[in-house]
Each structure stands twice: as structure tokens, then as C-alpha cells.
Amino acid sequence: MPERFPASLQQKIEDRLRYYEDLGIRLFYTDRGPGGTTLVAPEPIASVSSSAPIIEETVLPKPTTKPAPAKVAPVAPPPLVVHPTGPSLFETMGKVKDETLLNIREDLGDCTRCKLHKGRNKIVFGDGNPKAELVFVGEGPGADEDAQGLPFVGRAGKLLTQMIEAMGLQRKDVYICNVVKCRPPENRAPEPDEVTACSPFLIRQIDSIRPKVIVCLGATAAKTILNTTRGISQFRGEWLEWRGHKLMATYHPAYLLRNPPAKADVWKDLQKVMAELGLQLPKKSKS
Ligand code: SF4
């Protein structure tokens, strides 16, 4: 992108264009405003190649009998309004149809879109059934996940596996992923700029899978997806709606390891999920 703005604004514009590109939106239109050319909201397109360039399409004036002047004096571009923190997850611009998880993983590549790439060993994209009716979304990878490149494989992951099996399912029946795909240092919560950089890929994963139910594991995942500052205990176990999917937040398995009595609350939540999915409790084998 040529230098046309102050460096800080230039960076914000580049970040915003990258965000749109990560959402699969690469076609932009410009229109003629009173002071020259004005950027307007980009429109989503059905499908794009990952190498498609950003196209600036100018609305040309209607031909007149007079020939256009050979040279037009340059006009300073009008200021762009840039959100200081980027759009919320609710402000995403429609779905890119028929994307596969493979397409999305290829698009993510060897990602360096945020500072979390510096400390990671492996990107933890997600794992499970690409057509799952149930998707679990956690906060971010821990040490075990970072080493193996798979989500929820440590102690908390083993507990999640037990919870899934208690529902009468297996891990391969569901899809498991995180809000950010690289391990935050010292297992801290992901920071807003990291969530903003990585969230388009989570949205695209969910849009590709089209699950019936999303279960958010823990406060960070729930607050990020729902764009709320409310404590998870205020909406845990309630059915919510997000991008056309039924969504329920419950406690993170790591929290259950520290606070086992909370397992009863989570089991109540999962039973609601089972009812929604038409799952029966597995029958106990006769001894
Ligand atoms: S956390 Fe997401 S956006 Fe950041 S480097 Fe990793 S994959 Fe890229």
C-alpha cells in the first residue's frame, strides 16, 4: 500500500484491510464524494481466491461532448473513520459460502498476524468433525496443546473428553477450537489486539461447520464471542443466539479441575445441550 496517510493511520488502515481480507472480503468499491474519492463499506463476495488482490473500482463520470482534461490536480483524500479497537465479532460482514476448514487453514498459513506467533511452537487450528452439530470453543492453547498442535489435550482436555463421552459422544463427533490459535505466554488471557487478529478465523470455522450448538468454555471465550463484560456466572447455562446458532456458555474444564463442585453445574448445562441435540443418556451396561 503506497504511503498516503500519516504512519499511524496508515497502519490502522492496513490492519483493517487485513481484517477484512481474513474474513474473505477482498473486493472494495470507491465512490466519488464531494472532496474527491471516498472509501465506502466493502461488500462480501461469494468466494474468492486467496491470492485475489484488493481491487479499487472507481465510478467513472458519464462521457460528455467535451474531452476530459489531460491532467487533474491531485486532491487530498478525506479522513477515514477507524474504530480504535476494531469491530466486535457481531459486526462481521456476512458469510463466505462453501468455505472448507482446509481452505481456512490454508489461508491462516504460518500466521504472524499478531504477536502471539513469536512464542508459539505450533498453531492449534482446531480438531474434530468438520460437519459437527456441536462445537466447543475455548480461550487459547496451553503448553500441551502448543506442543502437539491439537486443542484440549492436557489435563483440562482429558476432562473435556470425559464430559463429551458422558454425553454419549466421542471427540471425533464434535469440533473443538479456540478463540486464539497460538499459546499466550504464561497462559495469560488473550489481549484484545490478539483476539481481533485471530477472531475472523474462528468465525469462518463456525460458518463452515454450521453447528446446531456452540458451547463456550470459560469466561474469556464467552465474553469474547458475545462481546460482553458481564461475568460468566450471569449467563452460564442460558441459551443465547449468536450468528444464527444456539450458544451456551459454561465453565472451562481447567476451572473444574480447581473447583470440582462446579462439575454439577456444567453437567446440568450439558444435559440441556443433549436435549437440544436429541441425545439420550448412554445406557449403563448390566453387570
Ligand atoms: S493467535 Fe491467531 S492471529 Fe495471532 S499469530 Fe496465532 S494464528 Fe495468527
Side-chain angles (χ1 to χ4, degrees):
M1 192 170 181
E3 288 271 354
R4 290 189 299 160
F5 306 104
S8 60
L9 181 56
Q10 177 92 6
Q11 187 60 50
K12 285 179 179 174
I13 295 167
E14 287 182 14
D15 288 347
R16 175 54 54 93
L17 290 174
R18 198 169 298 115
Y19 181 87
Y20 289 146
E21 191 173 64
D22 291 341
L23 285 165
I25 298 164
R26 297 184 175 84
L27 184 60
F28 291 78
Y29 294 93
T30 62
D31 202 351
R32 191 165 294 280
T37 302
T38 307
L39 277 177
V40 298
E43 294 182 357
I45 52 176
S47 66
V48 290
S49 101
S50 60
S51 59
I54 295 170
I55 302 167
E56 290 196 355
E57 204 175 87
T58 304
V59 178
L60 296 171
K62 288 182 181 168
T64 61
T65 50
K66 288 184 182 176
K71 285 188 180 176
V72 178
V75 180
L80 278 179
V81 177
V82 179
H83 293 277
T85 56
S88 79
L89 298 186
F90 289 108
E91 292 178 62
T92 53
M93 279 68 62
K95 302 179 178 182
V96 177
K97 287 179 187 156
D98 301 329
E99 266 200 317
T100 66
L101 291 175
L102 193 59
N103 296 147
I104 300 164
R105 180 64 188 88
E106 285 172 358
D107 212 5
L108 184 66
D110 191 20
C111 183
T112 56
R113 290 169 178 84
C114 84
K115 58 187 179 294
L116 290 182
H117 81 276
K118 292 177 191 162
R120 73 159 181 248
N121 284 306
K122 290 189 175 163
I123 290 178
V124 181
F125 180 69
D127 186 40
N129 183 348
K131 297 290 168 207
E133 293 193 333
L134 174 58
V135 170
F136 289 94
V137 181
E139 169 182 320
D144 294 306
E145 292 76 18
D146 177 62
Q148 296 186 41
L150 291 169
F152 283 91
V153 289
R155 279 183 69 220
K158 289 199 176 89
L159 181 53
L160 176 61
T161 303
Q162 288 171 3
M163 288 156 53
I164 292 166
E165 288 172 354
M167 298 171 75
L169 297 169
Q170 297 181 9
R171 271 182 74 117
K172 65 181 174 56
D173 297 323
V174 304
Y175 194 82
I176 306 172
C177 54
N178 287 301
V179 171
V180 293
K181 319 236 172 276
C182 300
R183 182 192 180 198
E186 312 300 328
N187 289 341
R188 64 158 169 75
E191 293 176 352
D193 60 316
E194 296 156 0
V195 170
T196 300
C198 213
S199 59
F201 296 95
L202 172 65
I203 293 169
R204 288 167 64 181
Q205 284 172 296
I206 302 271
D207 284 350
S208 170
I209 297 167
R210 296 185 202 144
K212 275 190 185 164
V213 173
I214 300 166
V215 172
C216 286
L217 297 169
T220 300
K223 287 180 178 181
T224 301
I225 286 181
L226 297 171
N227 194 28
T228 179
T229 54
R230 292 167 67 203
I232 187 172
S233 57
Q234 293 177 39
F235 54 87
R236 196 219 92 237
E238 289 175 18
W239 280 120
L240 304 167
E241 198 266 345
W242 182 71
R243 291 175 64 83
H245 306 283
K246 294 197 89 168
L247 181 148
M248 184 177 288
T250 194
Y251 294 131
H252 195 284
Y255 174 74
L256 300 182
L257 291 173
R258 298 191 302 273
N259 187 14
K263 285 181 184 174
D265 290 331
V266 172
W267 181 233
K268 276 187 211 155
D269 300 342
L270 294 182
Q271 284 179 304
K272 290 183 194 170
V273 172
M274 289 170 65
E276 184 65 30
L277 296 175
L279 297 171
Q280 307 285 328
L281 274 177
K283 287 181 183 160
K284 289 181 183 166
S285 58
K286 292 177 186 171
S287 56

